Amino acid sequence: MANVSIIPSGDFKTSYAADTTIFPTKTSRNFAILGVVLLLACPAFLDRYWLSLLIQIGYLGIAALGLNILVGFTGQISIGHSAFFGFGAFASAWLNNSLGVPVALAIPLAGVVTTGVGLIFGVPAARLKGLYLAIATLAAQYILQDFFGRADWFTGGSAGTIAEPLTIFGFAFDTDERYFYVVLVAMVVMYILGTNLMRTRDGRALVAVRDHYLSAEIMGINLTKYRTMSFGISAFYAGIGGALYAHYLQFVSVENFTILFSIQFLGMIIIGGLGSIMGTLMGTAFMVLLPEVMQAATKLVSGTAVDTALNLRENIAFLREMSIGLVIILFLVFEPDGLAHRWKQIKAYWKLYPFSH
């Protein structure tokens, strides 16, 4: 797993508190603070295109972290994550439009409501393993998709529904420059909560269930409880991410939350690193930026000798979709621990150079 530490010889902790800090060193903490400060300055220097990409990384990163807690830290599997992401989006819009709940309250409440839905599917799924669990989560994906299409009172049916922009004390966050700060604050808070969760007794129990469920059960860990809890936590993060997505686009459509979107979420945590908080954000950024890079590459290839030799023509646009599947396969084969593990190896190399340990 990507959360295994690469610690050089002689580097040891003298207390339990020191061993469970969020940042292993003061340098890493200072770099994290510097990163947040630089992000705060982004709206002053970046145009709307890049801000839109950063906002996407933010709300998708929150949802992907929930999936990583379920898959990477607990050892479960889910191929229906986009359905919970969509439920959070529709729930927030419905709470605001139908019940008059302010958007600032509708977003966290959407996470709570989505948690309830996740627990409904999590209770039976917690007793399943392997292929049977995968099929159960696939069933959840299609059940919720069917619900989205039929529940006109909740989703607006095939016409979709309007999501009002976030407004606090009369100040509307209805532009990319303003909404960027909303997503940034939400992402920082949710990632801190996720990091702290892994430092608690419950977080260590989730990891124990992943590492060896029989040993965990012998130690007194209730497997059903913690597996169900992981589904609830995953759904909560998906709901928050979906709600932020809804109020950013200000419109939610049924067609967006398909099985392909769920596969993309899995790709984010596989590429970033299963069982890694930092890797989740790295994988999300990779998956969001990959189509943009491929689009630039296809423009360069279009009309050239390569295009003519391979007879790509109109099929060149599909290279963007093909690249996602290809990248997932390449990471599974050559870098199964993800970008987070590779980053740790790079840091260890420069820290230990020219020695090997």
Side-chain angles (χ1 to χ4, degrees), residues 26-341:
K26 291 183 178 179
T27 302
S28 61
R29 181 194 63 192
N30 293 337
F31 268 105
I33 294 173
L34 177 62
V36 173
V37 172
L38 291 177
L39 285 173
L40 289 172
C42 281
F45 302 100
L46 299 180
D47 57 24
R48 293 185 60 187
Y49 170 76
W50 289 105
L51 285 178
S52 176
L53 292 178
L54 290 177
I55 291 172
Q56 289 182 55
I57 293 171
Y59 62 68
L60 291 176
I62 292 173
L65 179 57
L67 184 61
N68 211 348
I69 291 173
L70 175 66
V71 178
F73 287 100
T74 315
Q76 303 299 93
I77 184 66
S78 175
I79 49 179
H81 199 62
S82 71
F84 297 104
F85 183 85
F87 193 93
F90 283 119
S92 185
W94 178 74
L95 287 169
N96 177 247
N97 296 334
S98 300
L99 302 184
V101 178
V103 174
L105 294 178
I107 292 175
L109 284 177
V112 175
V113 174
T114 309
T115 302
V117 176
L119 291 174
I120 292 174
F121 289 102
V123 170
R127 301 181 182 275
L128 303 174
K129 293 185 296 181
L131 180 62
Y132 300 99
L133 177 59
I135 296 301
T137 58
L138 180 63
Q141 168 77 37
Y142 285 112
I143 288 171
L144 288 177
Q145 275 189 247
D146 186 69
F147 172 75
F148 294 157
R150 297 177 185 274
D152 292 356
W153 58 273
F154 185 71
T155 66
S158 59
T161 186
I162 299 296
E164 296 295 330
L166 173 64
T167 303
I168 300 178
F169 300 118
F171 185 82
F173 294 86
D174 53 358
T175 64
D176 286 356
E177 292 79 7
R178 296 176 180 180
Y179 201 75
F180 171 80
Y181 291 111
V182 175
V183 175
L184 178 61
V185 170
M187 186 190 72
V188 170
V189 170
M190 297 301 287
Y191 269 73
I192 290 176
L193 290 176
T195 303
N196 281 323
L197 171 64
M198 293 302 112
R199 301 163 64 209
T200 64
R201 180 182 183 277
D202 290 331
R204 294 191 295 272
L206 294 176
V207 175
V209 171
R210 177 200 69 192
D211 289 343
H212 202 291
Y213 70 93
L214 288 178
S215 300
E217 191 171 23
I218 291 171
M219 289 189 295
I221 294 175
N222 188 325
L223 299 183
T224 302
K225 170 188 172 183
Y226 283 103
R227 284 171 175 168
T228 305
M229 179 191 296
S230 67
F231 274 97
I233 294 172
S234 175
F236 176 74
Y237 274 79
I240 296 294
L244 291 170
Y245 159 84
H247 295 290
Y248 172 59
L249 295 183
Q250 299 178 23
F251 179 78
V252 191
S253 178
V254 176
E255 294 81 11
N256 295 334
F257 313 108
T258 63
I259 184 67
L260 295 178
F261 197 13
S262 293
I263 299 299
Q264 288 184 16
F265 275 121
L266 282 173
M268 292 173 192
I269 63 174
I270 290 172
I271 291 172
L274 293 174
S276 170
I277 301 291
M278 178 184 68
T280 303
L281 193 57
M282 295 173 70
T284 304
F286 188 96
M287 289 293 286
V288 170
L289 296 177
L290 177 62
E292 307 304 320
V293 174
M294 290 305 301
Q295 183 177 9
T298 53
K299 287 182 178 179
L300 292 175
V301 174
S302 180
T304 63
V306 176
D307 185 8
T308 305
L310 297 178
N311 196 28
L312 295 176
R313 296 179 184 176
E314 68 275 3
N315 295 324
I316 198 168
F318 293 100
L319 289 176
R320 296 178 61 187
E321 285 72 18
M322 292 171 57
S323 64
I324 295 175
L326 178 62
V327 165
I328 292 175
I329 293 173
L330 292 176
F331 267 88
L332 287 172
V333 174
F334 298 106
E335 194 60 81
D337 289 328
L339 293 171
H341 178 70

